[in-house]
Amino acid sequence: MKSILREKYRYMKFKVHSAKEYNRQDFEKQLRQALLGLMGEIQYSRCLPKLVAYSGTEGIIKILRDTEKETRAALVLITKFDSNPIHLQAIFVSGTIKGCKGKK
Amino acid sequence: MEFTDIVDFDFANPQDYGFSKALKLGRDIFIYTTPDKTLKSPSILAVHDKKSLMHNMRHFDLIYFPSYENDVELITSAVKREKRFVVSLSDIFGKQGADRSIVIYRIRRFIRFCNKYGAKFVIASFAKSVYGVRSPKEVGSIAHLLDLDSQQAEAAMRKL
């Protein structure tokens, strides 16, 4: 595919502050629901967030380029997964997964 | 840059969130609904009633108007007395769905009014636990929802 047609992504690293620990599958499901609820279907389709890495205390989501601001705002507004309080703190945005790793 | 937050729990490490200090309600900062003879400073007046707020605001350092109603008289009176309004982030984070959208709208409209009439305001989290605290940078990222740019939002957290 010509490079001009290829979608460009950004990788956003975030810290997870939560009393409850989630496994990757549950976390991904809850995160998707929360982001969809906050962004709405239209904005969600523009950002297309996808969890690419999760360790329990940190994670990385892949989003389409130029939607960092919206995704960051949505992450700030996430306060609960089910009824458990949670805080997702975006810490770094990079063009590659490798670039995110090691950042604190 | 030094940032301060107002919280409602013992916040052990505000530095982890980018704050130089956190004022605990009832210990470092005091919230009142009416003027008290034993008024401690710094103090916040938190009243739903506009008349009572206007009548008593002179005794307090900060004013918290939970309904965020737009009232020119109230805002100009606060400007005249050099009082600052408090915008509580827990009003946003404590709600979900449509209720949250309505609160964001009300706060945005209130801030727009404050900017128009030159009223000063501070942003604080009033968090009841560490999960309700947001760093100044994070608040900057939701600033556009409140009709502010990130610098203005961060400045509102610095002024405390």
Side-chain angles (χ1 to χ4, degrees):
Chain A
M1 194 186 285
K2 272 186 177 177
S3 64
I4 200 165
L5 298 172
R6 188 169 57 84
E7 290 289 4
K8 288 174 180 153
Y9 295 97
R10 285 288 175 268
Y11 297 88
M12 187 178 284
K13 187 175 185 178
F14 58 90
K15 270 188 194 172
V16 182
H17 303 274
S18 172
K20 190 186 168 188
E21 259 200 40
Y22 295 88
N23 62 35
R24 188 187 162 125
Q25 210 176 2
D26 285 345
F27 186 83
E28 193 169 3
K29 189 180 160 196
Q30 295 283 351
L31 181 68
R32 197 185 306 131
Q33 277 177 358
L35 289 175
L36 190 60
L38 287 163
M39 292 175 171
E41 289 171 20
I42 296 167
Q43 188 59 39
Y44 191 90
S45 72
R46 287 188 188 128
C47 294
L48 227 60
K50 189 187 175 197
L51 188 71
V52 292
Y54 175 68
S55 69
T57 54
E58 285 178 346
I60 299 173
I61 46 169
K62 181 171 106 172
I63 49 171
L64 285 170
R65 197 177 67 173
D66 298 328
T67 61
E68 297 93 327
K69 198 176 158 188
E70 291 78 7
T71 312
R72 209 183 266 268
L75 284 183
V76 171
L77 290 173
I78 292 174
T79 52
K80 278 177 187 171
F81 275 1
D82 283 336
S83 55
N84 304 304
I86 193 163
H87 172 204
L88 305 178
Q89 187 180 16
I91 44 178
F92 192 72
V93 181
S94 170
T96 60
I97 297 178
K98 194 180 170 187
C100 279
K101 286 183 177 165
K103 293 283 174 187
K104 286 186 180 179
Chain B
M1 227 179 274
E2 295 210 335
F3 297 103
T4 314
D5 195 13
I6 301 172
V7 294
D8 200 7
F9 67 100
D10 282 314
F11 196 4
N13 299 313
Q15 292 81 12
D16 291 354
Y17 283 79
F19 294 105
S20 54
K21 62 178 175 177
L23 305 174
K24 193 192 172 207
L25 282 173
R27 188 186 66 195
D28 307 312
I29 191 161
F30 304 90
I31 199 156
Y32 297 90
T33 50
T34 50
D36 199 311
K37 278 183 183 170
T38 57
L39 199 69
K40 292 175 188 170
S41 188
S43 57
I44 304 172
L45 175 63
V47 192
H48 285 272
D49 178 39
K50 189 193 102 186
K51 274 186 186 170
S52 162
L53 199 67
M54 286 186 60
H55 184 69
N56 295 319
M57 69 164 69
R58 66 181 187 279
H59 303 289
F60 299 87
D61 303 304
L62 298 166
I63 312 158
Y64 174 43
F65 193 34
S67 62
Y68 299 105
E69 229 172 84
N70 278 345
D71 192 278
V72 181
E73 205 183 348
L74 173 69
I75 289 173
T76 50
S77 156
V79 173
K80 206 161 71 185
R81 291 186 169 132
E82 295 179 350
K83 299 293 175 192
R84 292 176 295 170
F85 288 100
V86 179
V87 173
S88 165
L89 292 178
S90 69
D91 289 335
I92 297 174
F93 298 138
K95 292 189 169 67
Q96 299 283 324
D99 290 340
R100 181 186 272 181
S101 308
I102 292 165
V103 172
I104 291 173
Y105 161 71
R106 279 175 175 270
I107 294 177
R108 183 171 58 226
R109 208 178 47 165
F110 185 75
I111 286 176
R112 211 180 284 165
F113 246 65
C114 284
N115 285 336
K116 185 176 177 185
Y117 290 96
K120 289 181 181 161
F121 59 90
V122 296
I123 298 176
S125 74
F126 285 88
K128 286 190 167 38
S129 76
V130 75
Y131 306 115
V133 178
R134 297 293 182 272
S135 69
K137 207 175 166 190
E138 286 178 286
V139 174
S141 66
I142 55 164
H144 67 282
L145 297 176
L146 307 175
D147 239 9
L148 294 169
D149 59 41
S150 54
Q151 282 85 7
Q152 282 176 307
E154 287 184 16
M157 300 192 85
R158 207 170 53 221
K159 282 178 195 165
L160 266 171

